[in-house]
Amino acid sequence: EEAPAEPKPTNVVSRLFAMRSTGDGLLYVLGTLFAAVSGATSIFTSYVFTKLIGIFFNPDPDEIQQQTLLYGSLQLALSTLMVVSSTLETACFGTAGEHLTRTLRARSMRSLLRQEIAFFDDDANSAGELTSFLGANVALVQSLLGERLNTFVKAVMLLAVGIGLMFAVGFWEVTLMILFAALPLLVMIYATLFVVLGLAKGAKAKGKREAV
């Protein structure tokens, strides 16, 4: 008896991740780690910069010199770390994305070569449209994996490290007040954005139907 075929993932992101080349999984893991380091470093860099500004309000010249050397060195080290992590993160996600683009183009070409001649008589399947699809549209698909994962990891690290620093070096009462005041505002902003995007999508679809 033949073994049952494995079910294909229905989620778009899962299907794209299933198309990854050998070794791309490691690139995504490394890219995620470097994105986390980059996101966390940006928060610490901002904190050190505020400490540098506060140094000038110190009346002791010797202490000003010591703190300037300390926080200046920290700022230089954190900035270097952020540049290196951002570069490596872009390299990992970019390399994996290019591999995915190559795979998608190869599969698209194999699919096009199996089509009947009548398929190319449609204006939507002209040489120009298909060339644009293979050259530009396919390349945009990689953003569903690399760019979204990169943005998500950085946002999570910014939020987590930022809240941690607020509790560590600030007043926890003020931090809690800011969090409870910001959450309803964030919910309102995202709800409004969701409604606006839905209306824009509906208007675009209506315009296409009327054009047809």
Side-chain angles (χ1 to χ4, degrees):
E1 295 183 0
E2 295 183 357
E6 295 183 0
K8 295 183 179 180
T10 56
N11 186 271
V12 176
V13 176
S14 300
R15 293 178 63 184
L16 290 175
F17 191 73
M19 296 180 188
R20 68 188 185 278
S21 303
T22 304
D24 283 354
L26 178 60
L27 289 177
Y28 282 119
V29 172
L30 291 176
T32 301
L33 292 177
F34 288 130
V37 173
S38 177
T41 305
S42 61
I43 290 291
F44 286 112
T45 302
S46 302
Y47 172 71
V48 172
F49 185 73
T50 59
K51 300 296 288 185
L52 278 171
I53 295 177
I55 291 174
F56 297 103
F57 297 94
N58 194 324
D60 187 355
D62 294 332
E63 192 171 351
I64 289 178
Q65 183 178 8
Q66 293 177 359
Q67 291 185 352
T68 301
L69 290 175
L70 172 62
Y71 289 113
S73 301
L74 284 175
Q75 182 78 1
L76 179 61
L78 288 172
S79 300
T80 303
L81 178 61
M82 186 165 60
V83 170
V84 173
S85 59
S86 298
T87 302
L88 293 176
E89 154 213 329
T90 303
C92 291
F93 283 129
T95 303
E98 290 301 323
H99 291 167
L100 178 61
T101 301
R102 182 185 60 189
T103 301
L104 289 173
R105 283 175 177 163
R107 293 193 178 190
S108 300
M109 279 298 301
R110 285 197 295 268
S111 177
L112 291 174
L113 292 175
R114 288 195 297 266
Q115 301 299 322
E116 297 181 357
I117 298 299
F119 173 81
F120 300 97
D121 293 336
D122 192 345
D123 292 338
N125 302 323
S126 64
E129 291 292 335
L130 295 177
T131 302
S132 175
F133 170 77
L134 292 174
N137 296 344
V138 172
L140 295 176
V141 178
Q142 62 172 297
S143 63
L144 291 175
L145 276 182
E147 292 183 10
R148 285 193 176 185
L149 183 59
N150 181 13
T151 304
F152 174 76
V153 172
K154 281 189 174 181
V156 170
M157 291 303 298
L158 284 171
L159 183 62
V161 176
I163 293 176
L165 273 178
M166 289 170 67
F167 277 108
V169 301
F171 297 98
W172 65 270
E173 299 93 341
V174 178
T175 303
L176 288 178
M177 184 181 66
I178 292 174
L179 290 178
F180 282 115
L183 283 177
L185 182 61
L186 288 175
V187 171
M188 292 176 57
I189 292 174
Y190 278 104
T192 305
L193 182 62
F194 180 77
V195 172
V196 171
L197 290 177
L199 293 175
K201 186 177 180 180
K204 184 177 180 181
K206 183 179 179 181
K208 286 185 177 180
R209 289 195 301 268
E210 292 177 352
V212 174

